Amino acid sequence: MWYVSTRGMAPRVNFEGALFSGYAPDGGLYMPEELPLLDRETLHRWSTLSYPGLVKELCALFIGSELIPRDDLDGLIDRAFSRFRHREVVPLSRLKNGLNVLELWHGVTYAFKDLSLSCTAQFLQYFLHRREKHVTIVVGTSGDTGSAAIQSVQGAKNMDIIVLLPKGHCSKIQELQMTTVLTDNVHVFGVEGNSDELDEPIKAVFADVPFVRKHNLMSLNSINWCRVLVQMAHHFFAYFRCAASLDSHVLPPVEVVVPTGAGGNLAAGCIAQKMGLPIHLVVVVNCNDIIHRTVQQGDFSLSEAVKPTLASAMDIQVPYNMERIFWLLSDSNSQVTRTLMEQFERTQRLHLSKELHGKCPQVLPGPCFGSQVPRSSPGRWTDS
């Protein structure tokens, strides 16, 4: 399995190369060069697996046994989930009227990002131990990424982590989760501005390729492909738990409601769709609604300012994983994606072409938090 930049101007890399990267050298994000298509037999076989079992199968598809042999991979994933409080790791709660809630908060920091970051940290340790290397991880956070990343790597001798925390823009508990860790390899800095603004210097650092290589820098934000890879399991697991039956001629669809900020879990759902999982995605945002405007009107443009809300991790105006989604919707056309994103970075305004916007309805727009979400599908679930 090879990985290419969404902007098409960087050399392709294997999983290890994508794992140890931030942005690709051309400013894009890494994506698999080809997505495997899953047949009905594979979906039937996967339908009885536990959540950790699904993570193992998905990771085996995208990593390859030449990099991590299957026995080693299974052991790393079991170790990653050993600190979760629920025996199923990710349970599904069934509510009224066909509404189901996937509980993704049973990790150490109560954030859903504990799931993907715990696995990512295990993969990093595996390769670093074999290569006898040290890396410095740079993370910008709007709330939950920073604390989950810290918990996943604190105490590791071959990793240092630098977290940029936007002052006054995280919840108190998240701020304390980051600033009270006294482990030597954890470095937390409070910065002025919001999470979108602190992403700008991080991207500038990763654009300096010689500097990145000299200091072995990488990122654990959802620009990192491994984050998206593990999050794909959320969608597969919930589908198998919610679908009425997999024995019908046409597999039944399930509606998936995804609250989102930077769009990593949304990108994971779009990739699962491309692989053959019959889900309909509904993206839910708060008043920082750039993704909603993009899907509704094709308007991928910044508002005047980020509006603080109680859901601080969703207070994002630059959902960088939309670049991955544009790449998918344009049939992996890196030239189209590069043109779009360079225009957005230059002008902070972008209107999608009619052709590209016409493909967006496969990701349905949802209303802001606090509004009623229409309950139209008996098998639907919400990612919480």
Side-chain angles (χ1 to χ4, degrees):
M1 175 66 72
W2 292 96
Y3 294 86
V4 296
S5 169
T6 50
R7 304 193 187 185
M9 302 294 286
R12 68 179 188 172
V13 297
N14 61 13
F15 173 79
E16 184 179 356
L19 175 68
F20 280 94
S21 297
Y23 290 93
D26 61 358
L29 302 177
Y30 283 113
M31 285 286 283
E33 191 171 39
E34 294 183 7
L35 291 176
L37 295 177
L38 303 178
D39 55 25
R40 180 185 292 267
E41 180 182 342
T42 300
L43 292 175
H44 267 274
R45 180 165 52 86
W46 285 12
S47 65
T48 59
L49 294 176
S50 64
Y51 176 84
L54 275 171
V55 173
K56 293 171 184 176
E57 293 298 328
L58 282 164
C59 288
L61 278 180
F62 288 93
I63 296 175
S65 58
E66 74 282 359
L67 288 177
I68 305 180
R70 183 57 192 261
D71 287 346
D72 290 351
L73 179 68
D74 290 352
L76 292 172
I77 291 170
D78 286 338
R79 196 174 306 135
F81 295 138
S82 63
R83 297 177 68 193
F84 280 72
R85 292 181 298 276
H86 199 283
R87 60 182 178 83
E88 295 179 55
V89 181
V90 175
L92 185 87
S93 293
R94 300 190 183 278
L95 307 181
K96 295 180 179 179
N97 302 322
L99 178 65
N100 304 285
V101 176
L102 193 64
E103 297 182 7
L104 304 178
W105 60 78
H106 294 282
V108 177
T109 73
Y110 297 88
F112 85 97
K113 294 169 185 177
D114 286 324
L115 290 157
S116 57
L117 282 166
S118 61
C119 293
T120 303
Q122 290 298 321
F123 298 151
L124 289 172
Q125 289 277 26
Y126 182 83
F127 288 116
L128 288 171
H129 179 72
R130 288 201 320 191
R131 305 287 189 259
E132 295 184 348
K133 289 178 57 178
H134 179 280
V135 295
T136 298
I137 299 164
V138 182
V139 171
T141 187
S142 57
D144 41 9
T145 293
S147 52
I150 287 170
Q151 284 296 326
S152 70
V153 305
Q154 69 165 321
K157 295 181 180 179
N158 47 17
M159 288 184 270
D160 274 79
I161 183 168
I162 297 171
V163 176
L164 303 184
L165 166 68
K167 292 180 181 178
H169 291 275
C170 295
S171 68
K172 190 64 177 178
I173 188 172
Q174 289 170 328
E175 184 175 319
L176 289 171
Q177 284 176 339
M178 289 179 262
T179 57
T180 59
V181 176
L182 303 180
T183 314
D184 289 343
N185 72 325
V186 175
H187 317 278
V188 180
F189 297 90
V191 299
E192 301 294 338
N194 56 50
S195 63
D196 287 333
E197 291 168 332
L198 66 85
D199 279 338
E200 294 176 14
I202 291 176
K203 187 162 189 175
V205 165
F206 281 105
D208 187 341
V209 177
F211 183 83
V212 169
R213 289 176 178 167
K214 178 180 178 181
H215 297 283
N216 290 330
L217 300 184
M218 61 166 293
S219 175
L220 284 182
N221 286 95
S222 59
I223 59 175
N224 192 302
W225 160 250
C226 192
R227 289 275 307 276
V228 177
L229 167 58
V230 177
Q231 287 172 177
M232 288 164 56
H234 308 346
H235 300 271
F236 281 92
F237 182 71
Y239 176 81
F240 295 136
R241 293 300 184 272
C242 293
S245 172
L246 299 187
D247 296 325
S248 57
H249 178 67
V250 178
L251 292 178
V254 169
E255 186 177 87
V256 179
V257 180
V258 184
T260 194
N265 208 14
L266 183 62
C270 290
I271 295 168
Q273 279 182 330
K274 287 280 188 179
M275 292 172 63
L277 192 68
I279 55 175
H280 296 306
L281 294 167
V282 178
V283 53
V284 182
V285 299
N286 58 23
C287 54
N288 299 291
D289 64 345
I290 185 170
I291 296 181
H292 181 266
R293 287 184 283 110
T294 302
V295 177
Q296 283 281 72
Q297 306 160 20
D299 177 23
F300 189 68
S301 303
L302 295 189
S303 299
E304 290 185 5
V306 173
K307 299 175 183 176
T309 73
L310 292 176
S312 59
M314 296 172 64
D315 294 346
I316 292 174
Q317 274 210 86
V318 185
Y320 38 77
N321 277 289
M322 286 301 292
E323 179 164 345
R324 286 186 164 113
I325 294 172
F326 293 153
W327 187 82
L328 290 169
L329 295 179
S330 64
D331 298 321
S332 310
N333 191 319
S334 57
Q335 183 175 349
V336 168
T337 307
R338 183 171 68 254
T339 300
L340 288 173
M341 298 313 300
E342 287 179 351
Q343 179 184 333
F344 176 73
E345 289 168 353
R346 187 171 60 253
T347 67
Q348 299 187 333
R349 307 194 67 80
L350 177 66
H351 282 82
L352 303 185
S353 67
K354 288 184 178 180
E355 180 182 4
L356 192 60
H357 181 230
K359 296 179 180 180
C360 285
Q362 56 189 287
V363 182
L364 304 172
C368 297
F369 273 149
S371 303
Q372 179 67 34
V373 180
R375 298 183 177 180
S376 57
S377 171
R380 62 187 292 271
W381 68 281
T382 181
D383 171 3
S384 187

